[in-house]
Amino acid sequence: MSQFSNQVVVVTGGTKGIGKGIVDYFAVENANVVFVGRDQKQGAQLVEHYKKQDKHVVFFQGDLTDRQSQQELVTFIYNAYGRLDVLCCCAGIYPSTTMDKITESEWDAVLNTNLKSVFFTIKGFLPLMKEQNYGRVVLMSSITGPFTGYPGWTHYGASKAAMLGFMRSAALEFVSHNVTINAVLPGNILTESLLDQGEDYIKAVAQAIPTGKLGTPHDIARAVAFFASQDASFITGQTLVVDGGQLLPEGVL
Ligand SMILES: NC(=O)c1ccc[n+]([C@@H]2O[C@H](COP(=O)([O-])OP(=O)(O)OC[C@H]3O[C@@H](n4cnc5c(N)ncnc54)[C@H](OP(=O)(O)O)[C@@H]3O)[C@@H](O)[C@H]2O)c1
C-alpha cells in the first residue's frame, strides 16, 4: 500500500502540463486527488479518464486569482474530506513580454497568479492544517528567477524568486504545527504548451541541457512526492532543482 493511499492531495493547476503529471502521480498512488483549474472541459475529461481506472480524482473549477473561488475551494475540501495532507501549488502563467511592453495589468496578472494566489491559497488552508497538526505544502517555483534569467520574463522571474522568500518565513511560522513547506524548481519540462512551439524549438532547448533532453511532468511529480513523503518530514523551507543539470555548465555546452 502506498504511503499516499487515502491521503487528501490538492493540486492547483492540474488541468494540464506539470500539474496534470502531479495529479497522475498521486492518482496512481491511490490518493484522493482534487485538482484545480479554470478549464471545465479539460477538467471533466480528466475526471472521466480516472473514473475508468477506478481512481479518486475530483475537479474543482475555479480561478485562483479570485478570493471567493479560493475560499470555496477551502470550504469544499473541509466539507468533503475534513482534512488536507498535501497542497501542491502548481498553477502559474508565464507570458513572454519584454519589459518595455509589459503593461501594469500583465504585471498584476503574473504576480497575482504566481505569488498572491499562492499566498492566499495556503493561508486559506492553514487553519485546517493547524487543526490536524499535519501538512505538506509544495510550491512550484522555477530555475528562472531564483537562478537564471530570460528576456521576456522579468515579471515571471520576479514572481518565482519572491515565492521562495515567502516560503522561508512561512516555513518558520508553520513548523510548530508539523506543516512543512518546500519548493521544486523545474528546468525545461516538456508540456503540451511547449510541444506547440514545434520540434526545432524543443531540439534547441534540449541542446542546452546536459542530459540532452527536456524533463517530463513525472520528473517533477516525483520531486513533489518526495517533499510530500515521510522521507522529507525533517525538511522545510528548502528547494530542489530538477533540471537535468541545466544550471551546471560554466559556458556553452
Ligand atoms: N513547463 C516548464 O518548463 C516549467 C519550468 C519551470 C516552472 N514551471 C512552473 O510549473 C507550473 C506549471 O507550468 P506548466 O508548464 O505545466 O504550465 P501550463 O501547462 O500552462 O499549465 C498551467 C496550469 O495552471 C492553471 N492555472 C493558470 N492560471 C490559473 C488560475 N488563475 N486559476 C486556476 N488555475 C490556473 C492552468 O489551468 P486552467 O488553464 O484550467 O486554468 C493549468 O492547469 C507553473 O507554475 C510554471 O511556472 C514550468
Side-chain angles (χ1 to χ4, degrees), residues 8 10 34 73-84 125 128:
V8 180
V10 169
V34 178
L73 171 67
V74 173
T75 305
F76 171 75
I77 295 297
Y78 199 92
N79 290 340
Y81 305 98
R83 67 174 291 112
L84 172 64
F125 280 116
L128 178 57

Side-chain angles (χ1 to χ4, degrees), residues 12-13 63-67 70 73-74 87-93 109-126 129 137-141 159-160 162-167 170 174 181-183:
T12 72
D63 180 341
L64 290 166
T65 60
D66 174 43
R67 212 68 60 236
Q70 276 169 6
L73 171 67
V74 173
L87 171 61
C88 179
C89 297
C90 188
I93 55 171
V110 170
L111 272 289
N112 277 343
T113 309
N114 297 359
L115 186 63
K116 195 172 170 186
S117 82
V118 170
F119 174 87
F120 280 102
T121 302
I122 296 168
K123 185 176 159 71
F125 280 116
L126 205 51
M129 290 191 283
V137 181
V138 186
L139 307 178
M140 200 55 63
S141 178
S159 72
K160 292 295 174 177
M163 193 184 253
L164 302 184
F166 152 70
M167 174 187 75
F174 301 173
I181 176 166
N182 293 288

Side-chain angles (χ1 to χ4, degrees), residues 12-20 36-40 42 59 62-65 89-94 113-114 140-144 156 160 163 185-194:
T12 72
T15 53
K16 56 183 177 173
I18 292 175
K20 189 172 146 196
V36 187
R38 296 159 300 179
D39 188 338
Q40 174 66 44
Q42 182 61 14
F59 176 54
D63 180 341
L64 290 166
T65 60
C89 297
C90 188
I93 55 171
Y94 40 92
T113 309
N114 297 359
M140 200 55 63
S141 178
S142 175
I143 58 170
T144 312
Y156 175 72
K160 292 295 174 177
M163 193 184 253
L185 278 59
N188 279 284
I189 306 303
L190 196 52
T191 58
E192 300 94 320
S193 324
L194 221 63

